[in-house]
Amino acid sequence: MGTWQISADLLARSRFVVSPRIETVGALNDLVRPSDPEGRALAAAHGEAFRAMLDAHPVRQVVLDHSWRPQWISDWLCLPPVAPTSGTRTFAEELDDVRDLGDDHLRTCLAESSPTGHLPDVLLRDGVTEHAADLLEWVWTHVLATDWARRERILRADVVARTSRLASQGWAAVVRDLGRDREWVGDGHLRINHYDLPSRVLPDDADLFFVPVNHKARWVGWLLPRRYAVYYPVTGALARVDAGAPDGLERLVGRSRASLLVALESPSSTTGLAATTGMALGTVGDHLKVLLAAGVVLRRRSGREVLYWRTALGDALVASGAG
């Protein structure tokens, strides 16, 4: 499925939306196979608890084992969002969309994505959909729920930037920045990957969503015949919600430490923070020691780097300072 053929009417009705369920799928990917420093930081922080959960619930492990094969992520994980009537649908509402698939549909998805090409007996029993939903619910509850406010700010900043670019430069410019293998090739065709497959014609009455993810996502999703989604990674430059530190935060912790806290919207190394803030490397290290001791940042080693990121208390400080 290298391209989708999209009518002008459908493209005009398409929407950028934020999905807590798809953000949870991105975090699940990072827990299974982290692909960048931020993903490795998340895996370092939550990997042990994640593995313990899978040991305690072996059917969830089997669902996970059959949800990926090379170059393919299972359709149940990439299930497109439902159009929200207002604002953003909650994670619980979106999780019910997975439950609504039912066991037969979920098994069809797993059979297609299974690296072995067949499903074990445990996945042929009743209740497999609930095991899949429980897997996502654990990731949301233990990894994302307390971090969702920060992540949602990043996602919404990206959507604002994309829609602004759409108004001034058109779809060709927007699609070009949605990740590798994405481009508008003309004659109503959107390239979604470089697989040598026939183009799929999307019906005019379909729902088409463009969904940002805090992950290196290059997925698409569909629920035939009417729901389709293109998932794409947020861009760092677009994700910056506020370039400066709030005045209240500066008065509370000092200008330099306030700048570091704001810069730690996502995990970063001391070298990255020095480049972002313009501070000397030693100065960044000294301030991070204080912030670490105060419990407003955490750190984990990721390969050769040590990454720092804000805790919930650090998020609250930044939010209260802005207020």
Side-chain angles (χ1 to χ4, degrees):
M1 191 181 298
T3 62
W4 285 349
Q5 185 174 346
I6 303 170
S7 70
D9 287 344
L10 175 56
L11 192 61
R13 289 191 295 102
S14 65
R15 301 174 60 178
F16 285 87
V17 299
V18 170
S19 167
R21 172 172 53 81
I22 295 302
E23 189 74 0
T24 303
V25 173
L28 178 62
N29 270 258
D30 285 332
L31 288 167
V32 174
R33 46 175 67 83
S35 59
D36 57 26
E38 294 181 11
R40 289 192 291 272
L42 184 143
H46 301 284
E48 184 176 350
F50 179 65
R51 291 185 292 272
M53 177 273 294
L54 294 176
D55 288 342
H57 300 276
V59 181
R60 298 181 195 176
Q61 176 70 71
V62 180
V63 169
L64 198 59
D65 291 341
H66 291 268
S67 292
W68 280 278
R69 60 178 168 84
Q71 306 301 314
W72 193 266
I73 181 173
S74 194
D75 289 352
W76 77 272
L77 287 171
C78 291
L79 180 68
V82 173
T85 54
S86 62
T88 300
R89 297 177 76 223
T90 66
F91 173 78
E93 290 172 327
E94 290 203 307
L95 192 62
D96 283 341
D97 296 339
V98 174
R99 293 190 174 101
D100 289 342
L101 292 175
D103 286 352
D104 289 342
H105 190 120
L106 197 99
R107 276 192 284 266
T108 299
C109 296
L110 292 173
E112 188 173 26
S113 59
S114 171
T116 65
H118 69 275
L119 299 183
D121 290 343
V122 69
L123 295 183
L124 303 180
R125 301 169 187 164
D126 291 344
V128 64
T129 306
E130 196 61 34
H131 289 295
D134 288 345
L135 175 63
L136 290 183
E137 187 169 35
W138 187 95
V139 176
W140 169 262
T141 302
H142 293 83
V143 179
L144 286 192
T146 58
D147 193 36
W148 174 241
R150 179 186 70 87
R151 287 172 174 262
E152 186 179 20
R153 291 196 301 269
I154 295 173
L155 298 172
R156 292 201 176 280
D158 185 277
V159 169
V160 169
R162 304 284 180 184
T163 52
S164 176
R165 182 174 300 171
L166 175 62
S168 62
Q169 301 179 33
W171 274 108
V174 171
V175 170
R176 199 164 47 238
D177 290 334
L178 296 186
R180 195 177 69 192
D181 301 339
R182 303 282 172 70
E183 60 181 330
W184 191 253
V185 294
D187 296 326
H189 285 81
L190 170 66
R191 180 171 297 285
I192 57 172
N193 55 47
H194 278 285
Y195 298 157
D196 187 17
L197 296 171
S199 180
R200 179 183 292 276
V201 180
L202 273 58
D204 286 345
D205 63 347
D207 290 324
L208 173 60
F209 302 105
F210 293 88
V211 186
V213 192
N214 282 292
H215 177 78
K216 302 300 182 185
R218 293 189 291 114
W219 320 315
V220 292
W222 56 82
L223 184 63
L224 300 179
R226 293 192 59 256
R227 279 165 56 193
Y228 300 84
V230 175
Y231 305 109
Y232 67 89
V234 294
T235 303
L238 298 180
R240 295 184 64 85
V241 179
D242 187 352
D247 289 342
L249 182 60
E250 286 188 1
R251 291 194 297 270
L252 184 63
V253 300
R255 175 172 297 180
S256 296
R257 291 170 191 163
S259 297
L260 289 173
L261 275 177
V262 171
L264 285 170
E265 188 79 28
S266 58
S268 183
S269 64
T270 52
T271 303
L273 289 168
T276 300
T277 62
M279 299 181 202
L281 193 61
T283 301
V284 170
D286 290 341
H287 286 309
L288 286 174
K289 289 178 183 177
V290 175
L291 296 174
L292 186 66
V296 296
V297 302
L298 290 174
R299 70 178 178 188
R300 294 278 181 178
R301 179 167 293 280
S302 177
R304 297 182 178 180
E305 293 183 312
V306 175
L307 297 177
Y308 294 81
W309 67 95
R310 287 198 315 242
T311 64
L313 176 58
D315 284 342
L317 273 177
V318 172
S320 63

